[in-house]
Amino acid sequence: MALEKIVTEKDRAWALWRIAEDEATLAGRVSNVESMPDNLTHPAKRIEWLAGRVLINELFAALSLTFRGLSKDDFGKPFPTGYDYHVSLSHSFPFVAALVDKQGPAGIDLEQPKVKLFRVAHRIFHRDELRDAGNDLIKHTVYWCAKETLIKIYGKKDLTLAEHLLIDAFQLAEAGDISGRIIAGGTETVIPLHYEVFPGFVLVLNRALNLLNQSSCLSSCSC
């Protein structure tokens, strides 16, 4: 795997990798800690599954930790076996991104800008978000990734994208900080986000936060 970017902080690290290996090579790096599900049969999905584990293994090494595989909570969200850490994964072949954070919920998402996003935007964006994104496909993709990041932080799937997961207006640049809001159970939680625009795809992740004791609507882990 070719490391595109890695950022490490105290008890937190995220990275972006380009997948270049075949399945056997990737499996050889994580088969001792976790077995691939039997129902995962599509070749590309198998490689993405393995690449995500390999990348988290690299992030754990950067944090001086030993990766022991991923387990799932009651909502099907992964967390690192044996550690009170939060993890999030995102794939868009040939790229995979991952975030590991000890302090609070984690969310990361990467997407390739696709014209079909214009066709569904009215269903997933608030009218203010639609107005701000206009006809800019990259900005639409940032909004979409940001909402996906909020979903992963929230940890459940009982919210409406257009009404309960909101992104404040922003000026598009190659990278920047934006603000998201999760509205659930009578609580509005502000989530600081960071985005980066790469050639051919967009990445969004939450900035460092510790919200576990501030809002009961946030799950303790994310995918």
Side-chain angles (χ1 to χ4, degrees):
M1 297 171 71
L3 179 64
E4 296 287 321
K5 184 167 186 173
I6 184 168
V7 177
T8 58
E9 305 167 5
K10 185 180 184 305
D11 294 328
R12 172 183 164 96
W14 69 273
L16 172 70
W17 291 68
R18 182 192 295 269
I19 304 170
E21 295 84 352
D22 59 22
E23 181 178 325
T25 301
L26 292 170
R29 299 181 62 176
V30 292
S31 60
N32 63 319
V33 295
E34 190 173 358
S35 299
M36 184 182 299
D38 292 336
N39 62 353
L40 196 59
T41 58
H42 192 284
K45 296 299 181 182
R46 290 170 65 88
I47 286 177
E48 287 181 342
W49 188 94
L50 289 165
R53 270 67 182 172
V54 171
L55 181 52
I56 291 180
N57 184 43
E58 294 291 331
L59 290 175
F60 265 59
L63 294 171
S64 299
L65 302 171
T66 300
F67 182 55
R68 301 169 183 167
L70 296 179
S71 301
K72 292 186 178 182
D73 69 3
D74 293 339
F75 299 100
K77 304 302 180 181
F79 62 91
T81 303
Y83 290 95
D84 187 19
Y85 273 72
H86 312 269
V87 300
S88 185
L89 276 166
S90 185
H91 315 90
S92 186
F93 192 85
F95 294 99
V96 57
L99 168 63
V100 175
D101 195 333
K102 184 178 182 180
Q103 300 303 319
I108 192 168
D109 192 69
L110 65 89
E111 301 287 345
Q112 301 176 27
K114 296 180 180 179
V115 175
K116 67 179 182 180
L117 182 55
F118 287 138
R119 298 197 297 270
V120 299
H122 68 283
R123 298 202 303 268
I124 60 179
F125 292 169
H126 187 274
R127 59 181 178 276
D128 293 339
E129 297 167 342
L130 285 170
R131 185 182 306 112
D132 184 57
N135 295 319
D136 190 323
L137 181 57
I138 300 300
K139 200 166 188 179
H140 273 258
T141 307
V142 173
Y143 270 110
W144 171 246
C145 287
K147 285 176 178 281
E148 286 289 305
T149 298
L150 294 183
I151 290 174
K152 294 174 180 181
I153 290 171
Y154 179 65
K156 304 175 186 178
K157 297 181 179 179
D158 57 348
L159 301 182
T160 302
L161 290 173
E163 300 297 331
H164 299 112
L165 302 169
L166 305 179
I167 310 300
D168 293 343
F170 62 96
Q171 293 293 322
L172 183 64
E174 291 185 359
D177 294 329
I178 56 179
S179 182
R181 289 174 287 146
I182 300 174
I183 302 172
T187 300
E188 180 173 309
T189 305
V190 176
I191 306 293
L193 303 170
H194 176 74
Y195 74 88
E196 298 194 11
V197 179
F198 296 86
F201 68 95
V202 169
L203 181 143
V204 176
L205 71 157
N206 67 278
R207 290 186 282 146
L209 57 118
N210 185 6
L211 299 173
L212 289 179
N213 295 321
Q214 297 181 29
S215 174
S216 61
C217 73
L218 294 182
S219 171
S220 63
C221 42
S222 63
C223 64

